[in-house]
Amino acid sequence: MIVEKVIANIKDLDPAELEKRHKEKVYLESDHLMKRIQRVETDHGRELGIRLKDPKDLMAGDILFMDEENMIIIDVMSDDLIVISPRDMQEMGTIAHQLGNRHLPAQFEMSDMLVQYDYLVEELLREMDIPFKREERKVKQAFRHIGHSHD
């Protein structure tokens, strides 16, 4: 089976629609969410080809296939993350500036900043006495680098 578009995301479906279908999952590493063409396998051993026509990243919960009885859903494997919890806006601005200078992609959940684990970032946070913890966590979307050059 070749998948060329995402049907919907499970968060947008009526819970009754979700419950009545058998679910297979495709587990992807977060950086594979950006790939428009890839070969994957469901947790039930079914092989799929993904060839997305739209230039859109996959997200956790995206539905690749759905009929009256079955659905195939994207799930994301856990990443090794640094979860930064600044105490105030001053700390948030300071660390955001430092990480921005290193061109590190970040995501935000509530008042936490998430970055992929890097021992240099861990050292920086310790030096700056900014609260953080290292943990395995699933992210909903890929960590995307924003194109930029210093001209």
Side-chain angles (χ1 to χ4, degrees):
M1 174 188 320
I2 304 290
V3 174
E4 294 185 331
K5 68 177 185 166
V6 171
I7 295 168
N9 192 288
I10 58 172
K11 71 179 180 344
D12 300 324
L13 286 186
D14 176 15
E17 288 294 312
L18 259 174
E19 284 303 312
K20 73 179 190 179
R21 290 180 171 84
H22 172 263
K23 294 162 202 65
E24 289 184 54
K25 290 189 176 181
V26 172
Y27 291 96
L28 296 178
E29 294 179 16
S30 65
D31 58 337
H32 286 209
L33 294 170
M34 293 184 287
K35 290 183 170 184
R36 290 184 36 218
I37 299 172
Q38 56 188 310
R39 181 170 297 283
V40 297
E41 187 173 314
T42 71
D43 59 350
H44 289 60
R46 186 187 320 208
E47 286 195 18
L48 301 173
I50 298 175
R51 185 176 58 219
L52 300 177
K53 292 185 177 197
D54 294 329
K56 175 186 169 296
D57 290 350
L58 294 166
M59 293 182 64
D62 278 348
I63 301 168
L64 301 178
F65 169 82
M66 183 167 66
D67 63 17
E68 290 301 315
E69 299 170 359
N70 300 294
M71 62 179 12
I72 299 175
I73 306 167
I74 295 289
D75 200 350
V76 183
M77 294 181 201
S78 296
D79 278 308
D80 187 7
L81 301 177
I82 296 177
V83 180
I84 305 167
S85 304
R87 291 175 282 251
D88 56 32
M89 285 298 289
Q90 175 74 29
E91 280 186 350
M92 176 58 85
T94 300
I95 195 58
H97 179 74
Q98 289 288 328
L99 297 177
N101 279 341
R102 297 165 193 245
H103 301 278
L104 287 178
Q107 294 183 26
F108 299 87
E109 289 184 5
M110 303 298 283
S111 59
D112 290 334
M113 176 187 267
L114 310 176
V115 295
Q116 290 176 311
Y117 179 77
D118 180 307
Y119 74 94
L120 293 172
V121 172
E122 184 177 40
E123 284 179 11
L124 175 68
L125 292 166
R126 286 190 203 288
E127 288 171 14
M128 297 177 72
D129 191 33
I130 294 179
F132 75 94
K133 60 187 171 202
R134 182 177 177 183
E135 66 181 49
E136 290 283 323
R137 188 189 285 193
K138 290 183 179 189
V139 294
K140 293 178 181 68
Q141 58 194 14
F143 282 93
R144 181 173 281 290
H145 286 275
I146 296 173
H148 175 74
S149 64
H150 292 277
D151 294 330

